[in-house]
Amino acid sequence: MNGPRMTGNGTNKDMLVATGDTVGGEGHRLRGGWGRGGWAATPRPVRWLVYLALIALAMLLPLQPIGSFMTPRSDWATVLFYPIGVYILLAIGLNVVVGQAGLLDLGYVAFFAIGGYMMAVLGTKVGWRFWEILAVGILASAVSGLILGAPTLRLRGDYLAIVTLGFGEIVRITAQNIDAIGGPRGIAGIPHPPSLSDFEIFGVKPFHYGVLDPRPYYYLLVVLIALTIIFCKRLENSRVGRAWAAIREDEDAAELMGVPTFRFKLAAFAIGASIGGATGVVWSAKVISIIPNNFPFILSATILAAVVLGGSGNIPGVMLGAFLVAWLPERFRVLQDYRVLAFGAVLVLMMALRPEGILPSRRRKAEFAEGAGGMGSLGAEVGSATSEASS
Amino acid sequence: MRRSIQGLAAAAVASTLLLAACGGNDNNGGGGGGGSAQPSTVKLGFMGDLTGENSGIVIPPFNGATMAVDEYNATNPTTKIQLIRYDSQAQPDQAASLAQQALKTDKIVGLIGPAFSGESQQVGPILEEGKIPSVSPSATNVTLGQKGWKYWHRILANDGVQGAGIAGYIVRALKAKKVFVVDDKQDYSKGLADVVDNTLKENGVTTQRDTVDQNGSDYSSTVNKIKAAAPDAIFYGGYYAQLGRLIKQLREGGVKARVLSGDGSLDTGLPKGAGGTNADGAVVGCPCNIDRTGVSSPASKKFADAYKTKFNTVPKIYSAEGYDAATAFIKAIEAGNTTPEKINQFLSTVDTPGVTKQIKFGPNGEPAGGEIYVYLFKGPDYTLLGNAKEAPAPPA
Amino acid sequence: MLHDFVDQFWPSTVDGISLGSIYALVALGYTMVYGVLRLINFAHSEVFMLGTVAVVYTVTEIGVSSPLSGISLIAMLVLLAVVGMVASAGTAVTLEYVAYRPLRKRGASRLAALISAIGASLFLQQLAALVIIPRLFHKPKEGGRLPVQSPNWVERKDVISIGDFVVRNDKLLIVVSAVLMMIALDQFVNRTKLGRGIRATAQDPETSVLMGVNIDRIVTATFLIGGAMAGVAAALYVMRFEETNFFVGFLLGIKAFTAAVLGGIGNLRGALVGGIVLGLIEMYGSALFGSEWQHVVAFSVLVLVLMFRPTGILGESLQQARV
């Protein structure tokens, strides 16, 4: 049958690779996964110690000396929250959809918007508080992911991309046209999260959510990011993650092997959506005023760029991608104007030279090299100058 | 695998250091620079879109403010003022982060701006909690004055007054019975259009509404609606780029009714966008007083002449308002108030003549006075018709 | 609402067909590339946009002493159409060479190709805003995002006027030009060798290769022709609106793609049908619901068509087992 060309010995080995990655841990010889041999070989407690150290490091980031180096002309702590932190969390969410399940979503900003408006509307008009809204927001975004996905996920990859783009714009324009949720004025006066305690350490009150200090919000975001990473990693190593890998590499084969592809694609969409929505809720609670134009298509494209450039499918990769995409234009004002120009050029170049991204997972690298990993290969039908006989 | 991680980390660190070394200090004079040399300098900030596509409306007030500060510093006072520019590019997030910077690192004692209403929504709470007074020369959104902010002020009339003023002109001078109101769905545009619509209705004028898209180019459906409605006048809430397009398509569609708009359209780009002489006869209102040759008062003439000498161009939109906003702070500092708290207290009682109006603020930060002026477009430029309450209908 | 719709039925119809004709011409580019490569050429919108920039520049440089009508208008339009075709086709072919061919040669995944397309689109948009428009029209860098107007070169007259049914000369020219180009393209695809090659490749690529078709040439030709069509659309667009800006491709591109899908992707006549139907739906929708819903109507059509009838009006089977 026509399909992406598979190097090697046919289906068996690829399916094995699909499972091998997940068996991680004490020196299982199957390769797959980035740095798995060395990293996975370290005993669990050590790995957890490193994770905790990383989190502690993240907490320490908003220090003035670091700030004067990283963003000398704007407030480092604010920038750490947005765009850096928010982009990172959004990228992890989009990674589930694009990187894990291989579905191209060009309207991811819609879920960010839904979360943001949930916080705004429920906070100002209904009077709920942040933590309840967060729970509801996650649920509502997941549902919207299901609503968007149900009719569209049967479409081929490129059509899915356009439909999601259309959906993103529909959400934005609708928000602009409906006066009940503020119309073009948006919603202002969104309440901050209620302060958990006035406990103070090193001159900071990390649980006091006021206006002047962006750091408590940043800490909240770090916790959220950590939880999301744990969640996504667990998913990746579970049956769900394996199914996504199979779908990503060759959907038809997966279907034939008995994987209920539609259901898992829907799950990916819903999970990605809920992460986007959660981010929206937290961001909205900090900035306290939102307008429809906060959610343009270019933000979807930016997060996609972050995921793709960083290394889709690999969480450290997309985090790095998001960090670069968020921080570089802030740091180098010259880049600010040419930011999108640079994005575009880098996207084209990367796809030509290194489509797996800066920090890819080993498996994704292999997939891209084979021309698999999402929707088959370009011009598979028309072939290339050195076209081998297809299987 | 271990090696590649280490290699990558090393490369990352190295490149970051390299970038930082090259990136260097591309900022705009002043910056954090520590408490600075003499203890007798205070810092004022100016925030707005200084380099983006809207800079045409922000640079004139910045010039006005700069001129005021320079004039003051030239008198060799005991306390000098340093004006720091914060380029927010009209992005609320950027504005918010710059505001934090201004507050904590630069330690400004007052802010002139933000220039636009959108960024003011996010900067306002920060300045309020940080207790830093601000005077905006151009943010006209009505809700800004309704939030109960104690440290916020503006030196020009808001959109509520502007809309009512223009609507009043339509009723009184143009004697229109039927008006078609259009906006481009943006916050400022819709807000202004709503006020005009409501005021017109209150005065017994029949109105009809429609919208255009700020990014689209085809306004045929709106043109068709207007043509079918055959109004006496058309009011557009929004900016000159879209209005130019609309006027062009209206004239091409055979609609000859007079077009009016608000301060977002007061730009020589309007006749360009409309093409040819299509924009002739358009009347645009503004809470600003653009007096290029200084006819309205001696203070105005002095300002216009000085502005021309310093910047080699006539005063543009909001430049005099920027001057007045700076003057408010200057008077406060002159009187010996050098802390934000004292300056704010001074602002609540200030009562001194400015170029555009008497510099005096109401309890909610709105200016005590504030007239709406109307301008008439003819050819590539516009001229002052007069105060909206008194100006006559333009010659046919 | 309903009253508006009935009231403005004829103007909406005329405007819808006229607008739809421009969509149709741009849709051709999408549909042809998709038919041959199964790739959505995201950057086709910028192919169109750069065509409009070239046309506006040409009109500005040539200058007109007074607005044209009649024969001189048509002559000018033909000249500008050629300019547009050259600019757009040139962009399209360069695009193929830089952004897609390397990927095709390596058998890269379609995901990578789509991302490359998005990157190319963003790049060209910004290039126009930051470099091309400021340089060509002598503006400062910040002014690159503002619209650029051409001098007023079209004298608009009503040519048909029967009660409410009024047709202006420029709108009529747009429809006539689009139909003419469509006929020309149809003839080309059905009668010439190259056209046969394109059809064969779209229908069954492997067999085409076996029959000796040079795929690289076919792909280049596809991009060239699609680009040329967009170039004609660019000239018509400038005739109608006498202005352009760096962002004009984004919205129009999505609409044109919607038109292609609506008519039946890969189907040339479908592009014309889809374009006109979409134009009409947009205009009627605006009259019915208010102009602010114009774009939502178009996007909704896209979503609904893809969900419920992905083969489009004239049909073209997507369900082929080609990945």
Side-chain angles (χ1 to χ4, degrees):
Chain A
M1 73 177 188
N2 297 333
R5 291 166 294 155
M6 297 201 228
T7 57
N9 335 337
T11 346
N12 271 349
K13 180 166 181 205
D14 291 273
M15 290 314 268
L16 269 182
V17 171
T19 53
D21 180 33
T22 67
V23 186
E26 286 59 47
H28 254 276
R29 29 29 200 191
L30 291 169
R31 306 156 348 151
W34 175 71
R36 188 58 73 160
W39 182 240
T42 54
R44 250 176 163 198
V46 177
R47 272 188 289 157
W48 276 101
L49 226 59
V50 176
Y51 293 148
L52 280 169
L54 283 172
I55 294 183
L57 209 69
M59 294 294 192
L60 285 177
L61 271 180
L63 289 177
Q64 176 58 8
I66 302 182
S68 55
F69 165 75
M70 293 297 257
T71 58
R73 274 177 9 260
S74 46
D75 186 48
W76 173 232
T78 309
V79 170
L80 263 181
F81 178 84
Y82 183 89
I84 295 181
V86 166
Y87 279 20
I88 288 181
L89 191 51
L90 285 177
I92 296 177
L94 187 59
N95 182 47
V96 171
V97 179
V98 173
Q100 304 272 63
L103 306 166
L104 191 51
D105 185 343
L106 288 180
Y108 193 64
V109 73
F111 304 122
F112 184 57
I114 290 174
Y117 266 94
M118 282 268 124
M119 177 73 214
V121 171
L122 294 177
T124 56
K125 306 213 194 281
V126 179
W128 285 6
R129 296 183 324 160
F130 174 74
W131 300 102
E132 297 107 58
I133 301 179
L134 184 61
V136 170
I138 293 179
L139 212 63
S141 317
V143 168
S144 66
L146 289 174
I147 295 178
L148 172 64
T152 59
L153 282 174
R154 301 192 192 276
L155 294 172
R156 325 153 37 83
D158 21 15
Y159 277 24
L160 180 66
I162 294 289
V163 166
T164 50
L165 195 162
F167 184 70
E169 284 295 282
I170 290 179
V171 166
R172 184 184 64 81
I173 299 179
T174 305
Q176 207 170 21
N177 289 346
I178 299 191
D179 282 339
I181 54 172
R185 175 154 304 152
I187 302 185
I190 305 172
H192 288 303
S195 299
L196 295 177
S197 88
D198 271 344
F199 158 72
E200 183 163 340
I201 178 174
F202 296 132
V204 189
K205 288 186 180 172
F207 301 112
H208 177 90
Y209 299 106
V211 171
L212 277 188
D213 195 355
R215 285 174 296 187
Y217 300 94
Y218 168 70
Y219 299 140
L220 182 60
L221 203 58
V222 170
V223 170
L224 209 58
I225 291 177
L227 289 173
T228 310
I229 294 179
I230 295 176
F231 178 63
C232 288
K233 254 320 185 181
R234 282 274 150 83
L235 271 182
E236 193 182 328
N237 294 340
S238 73
R239 213 178 119 235
V240 182
R242 289 199 291 278
W244 285 341
I247 294 171
R248 193 176 70 225
E249 291 200 26
D250 188 344
E251 190 171 335
D252 295 325
E255 187 78 41
L256 282 175
M257 300 292 273
V259 178
T261 56
F262 180 69
R263 227 178 281 168
F264 280 112
K265 290 204 285 191
L266 207 55
F269 238 61
I271 292 171
S274 56
I275 297 176
T279 317
V281 171
V282 175
W283 172 78
S284 185
K286 174 173 183 297
V287 297
I288 67 178
S289 87
I290 63 173
I291 56 173
N293 281 343
N294 284 135
F295 313 106
F297 162 69
I298 195 70
L299 186 53
S300 291
T302 304
I303 304 298
L304 180 68
V307 169
V308 166
L309 295 178
S312 61
N314 185 23
I315 293 185
V318 306
M319 288 175 71
L320 175 66
F323 173 76
L324 287 176
V325 155
W327 173 69
L328 285 176
E330 288 286 326
R331 179 61 173 84
F332 304 106
R333 255 314 163 82
V334 165
L335 280 180
Q336 186 83 257
D337 292 330
Y338 293 91
R339 178 171 49 129
V340 185
L341 184 81
F343 277 175
V346 173
L347 278 177
V348 174
L349 283 171
M350 284 295 269
M351 288 304 108
L353 301 173
R354 195 182 162 89
E356 63 269 18
I358 303 178
L359 279 184
S361 61
R362 298 265 297 265
R363 181 216 249 107
R364 284 295 255 163
K365 188 165 183 165
E367 286 173 16
F368 272 107
E370 287 182 36
M375 311 189 301
S377 61
L378 178 67
E381 307 82 15
V382 295
S384 62
T386 56
S387 177
E388 316 114 348
S390 40
S391 45
Chain B
M1 288 138 271
R2 265 278 157 75
R3 235 171 283 150
S4 67
I5 307 175
Q6 290 169 342
L8 206 62
V13 171
S15 47
T16 313
L17 285 174
L18 196 65
L19 275 174
C22 301
N25 213 7
D26 52 325
N27 74 23
N28 31 41
S36 105
Q38 297 138 326
S40 55
T41 307
V42 288
K43 300 200 180 87
L44 277 183
F46 182 98
M47 185 181 291
D49 181 7
L50 289 162
T51 56
E53 58 203 49
N54 298 310
S55 51
I57 320 178
V58 179
I59 293 188
F62 177 67
N63 286 346
T66 308
M67 191 165 95
V69 169
D70 288 345
E71 278 174 7
Y72 168 75
N73 283 336
T75 65
N76 255 322
T78 36
T79 318
K80 289 207 171 194
I81 300 178
Q82 184 188 7
L83 188 63
I84 305 180
R85 30 181 289 166
Y86 296 100
D87 182 10
S88 62
Q89 301 208 317
Q91 304 290 332
D93 316 294
Q94 231 166 294
S97 133
L98 285 172
Q100 300 264 14
Q101 173 93 343
L103 239 149
K104 295 190 222 159
T105 319
D106 298 334
K107 301 212 192 327
I108 57 171
V109 298
L111 181 76
I112 303 171
F116 290 165
S117 307
E119 43 185 357
S120 300
Q121 300 272 12
Q122 283 207 24
V123 169
I126 299 176
L127 295 180
E128 191 71 9
E129 187 148 322
K131 300 198 182 356
I132 304 287
S134 68
V135 179
S136 177
S138 47
T140 50
N141 189 304
V142 179
T143 60
L144 292 173
Q146 297 167 341
K147 295 194 194 281
W149 287 336
K150 308 242 176 306
Y151 290 81
W152 173 90
H153 312 78
R154 67 173 142 218
I155 194 75
L156 77 176
N158 62 36
D159 284 338
V161 179
Q162 190 188 170
I166 300 176
Y169 177 83
I170 296 178
V171 169
R172 176 191 60 81
L174 298 181
K175 302 199 191 335
K177 293 277 168 276
K178 188 168 189 201
V179 177
F180 203 102
V181 178
V182 185
D183 67 84
D184 70 359
K185 296 186 302 184
Q186 293 192 75
D187 186 10
Y188 153 76
S189 323
K190 183 167 186 308
L192 193 59
D194 283 344
V195 175
V196 170
D197 193 12
N198 293 334
T199 315
L200 287 174
K201 282 207 187 77
E202 282 166 19
N203 282 283
V205 178
T206 344
T207 66
Q208 219 178 313
R209 291 292 292 266
D210 197 25
T211 63
V212 296
D213 184 76
Q214 66 179 122
N215 286 323
S217 31
D218 184 30
Y219 297 160
S220 349
S221 91
T222 306
V223 168
N224 290 338
K225 290 201 177 93
I226 296 180
K227 204 164 175 184
D232 300 317
I234 302 164
F235 176 80
Y236 180 79
Y239 301 90
Y240 68 88
Q242 289 75 26
L243 180 57
R245 228 175 264 151
L246 181 63
I247 293 181
K248 183 182 168 67
Q249 296 186 23
L250 280 171
R251 301 297 180 236
E252 285 168 358
V255 177
K256 307 228 190 301
R258 185 181 301 280
V259 174
L260 297 99
S261 186
D263 61 326
S265 303
L266 194 56
D267 191 292
T268 48
L270 180 66
K272 281 207 205 94
T277 54
N278 291 332
D280 282 4
V283 173
V284 175
C286 186
C288 59
N289 185 343
I290 307 180
D291 192 4
R292 297 196 186 124
T293 44
V295 292
S296 38
S297 70
S300 197
K301 175 129 183 60
K302 185 158 163 260
F303 170 77
D305 290 340
Y307 193 93
K308 193 135 186 251
T309 316
K310 190 173 171 92
F311 300 108
N312 229 347
T313 163
V314 290
K316 298 214 173 80
I317 189 169
Y318 297 132
S319 42
E321 280 74 13
Y323 187 88
D324 281 349
T327 305
F329 281 110
I330 291 172
K331 294 286 178 216
I333 295 171
E334 239 174 11
N337 302 295
T338 50
T339 64
E341 192 62 51
K342 292 245 199 81
I343 295 179
N344 198 46
Q345 261 168 6
F346 181 90
L347 287 176
S348 56
T349 56
V350 66
D351 192 352
T352 175
V355 173
T356 62
K357 55 180 71 69
Q358 189 76 358
I359 300 179
K360 184 176 176 185
F361 301 105
N364 55 359
E366 300 275 11
E371 302 299 320
I372 305 298
Y373 299 91
V374 281
Y375 300 80
L376 176 68
F377 274 92
K378 187 167 170 64
D381 205 357
Y382 54 84
T383 52
L384 177 65
L385 262 182
N387 187 315
K389 293 200 190 105
E390 304 152 352
Chain C
M1 272 181 34
L2 200 56
H3 166 257
D4 273 339
F5 173 70
V6 169
D7 228 12
Q8 293 147 34
F9 178 73
W10 284 119
S12 301
T13 307
V14 169
D15 285 330
I17 297 182
S18 157
L19 185 64
S21 303
I22 297 186
Y23 289 161
L25 285 173
V26 181
L28 281 172
Y30 284 111
T31 215
M32 286 180 73
V33 169
Y34 194 86
V36 169
L37 277 184
R38 293 288 182 270
L39 166 78
I40 301 179
N41 181 8
F42 220 92
H44 190 59
S45 43
E46 274 55 60
V47 166
F48 168 78
M49 180 268 297
L50 287 173
T52 62
V53 171
V55 171
V56 170
Y57 178 70
T58 308
V59 178
T60 314
E61 288 300 298
I62 292 183
V64 279
S65 44
S66 65
L68 309 167
S69 70
I71 297 292
S72 39
L73 175 61
I74 296 180
M76 181 63 138
L77 184 61
V78 170
L79 171 66
L80 293 178
V82 171
V83 169
M85 292 205 312
V86 169
S88 291
T91 309
V93 169
T94 312
L95 188 64
E96 194 269 321
Y97 204 74
V98 172
Y100 304 139
R101 183 167 295 215
L103 299 180
R104 194 161 54 82
K105 294 297 181 190
R106 288 187 327 141
S109 86
R110 220 176 253 130
L111 180 63
L114 202 47
I115 293 175
S116 183
I118 296 172
S121 171
L122 293 173
F123 179 79
L124 288 174
Q125 249 179 40
Q126 297 295 310
L127 192 69
L130 293 167
V131 176
I132 299 181
I133 290 181
R135 290 258 170 99
L136 283 182
F137 300 98
H138 311 295
K139 291 179 174 239
K141 197 182 80 219
E142 309 82 58
R145 292 182 194 274
L146 298 172
V148 273
Q149 288 87 19
S150 75
N152 182 6
W153 59 284
V154 181
E155 190 191 331
R156 301 176 205 274
K157 297 198 283 220
D158 292 336
V159 282
I160 306 177
S161 195
I162 313 174
D164 247 2
F165 182 69
V166 175
V167 182
R168 224 164 60 190
N169 56 351
D170 55 342
K171 297 183 191 176
L172 183 63
L173 266 177
I174 291 177
V175 180
V176 167
S177 309
V179 171
L180 281 176
M181 292 312 293
M182 201 68 62
I183 294 178
L185 184 65
D186 215 50
Q187 293 295 301
F188 173 81
V189 162
N190 285 324
R191 301 266 177 98
T192 68
K193 188 160 166 235
L194 192 54
R196 266 206 303 283
I198 294 180
R199 270 188 300 137
T201 312
Q203 208 171 16
D204 189 343
E206 278 148 16
T207 313
S208 309
V209 174
L210 290 174
M211 301 290 270
V213 173
N214 181 336
I215 298 297
D216 285 349
R217 259 187 15 126
I218 295 296
V219 171
T220 305
T222 308
F223 273 82
L224 192 125
I225 297 172
M229 292 293 126
V232 175
L236 293 174
Y237 179 92
V238 174
M239 176 181 69
R240 175 85 167 78
F241 298 109
E242 288 180 330
E243 73 156 34
T244 185
N245 69 75
F246 83 107
F247 202 60
V248 74
F250 178 71
L251 213 50
L252 205 139
I254 299 187
K255 306 270 186 82
F257 178 74
T258 306
V261 170
L262 181 58
I265 196 91
N267 185 327
L268 296 185
R269 292 174 198 172
L272 182 61
V273 171
I276 298 206
V277 170
L278 183 65
L280 287 172
I281 295 180
E282 263 192 51
M283 284 297 148
Y284 293 152
S286 294
L288 266 176
F289 306 119
S291 307
E292 63 258 36
W293 296 103
Q294 182 170 353
H295 302 317
V296 175
V297 165
F299 290 133
S300 307
V301 166
L302 176 67
V303 174
L304 289 170
V305 167
L306 284 179
M307 274 163 44
F308 297 115
R309 193 176 160 82
T311 53
I313 297 177
L314 292 188
E316 181 81 352
S317 175
L318 297 176
Q319 257 71 335
Q320 320 242 343
R322 254 200 289 274
V323 189

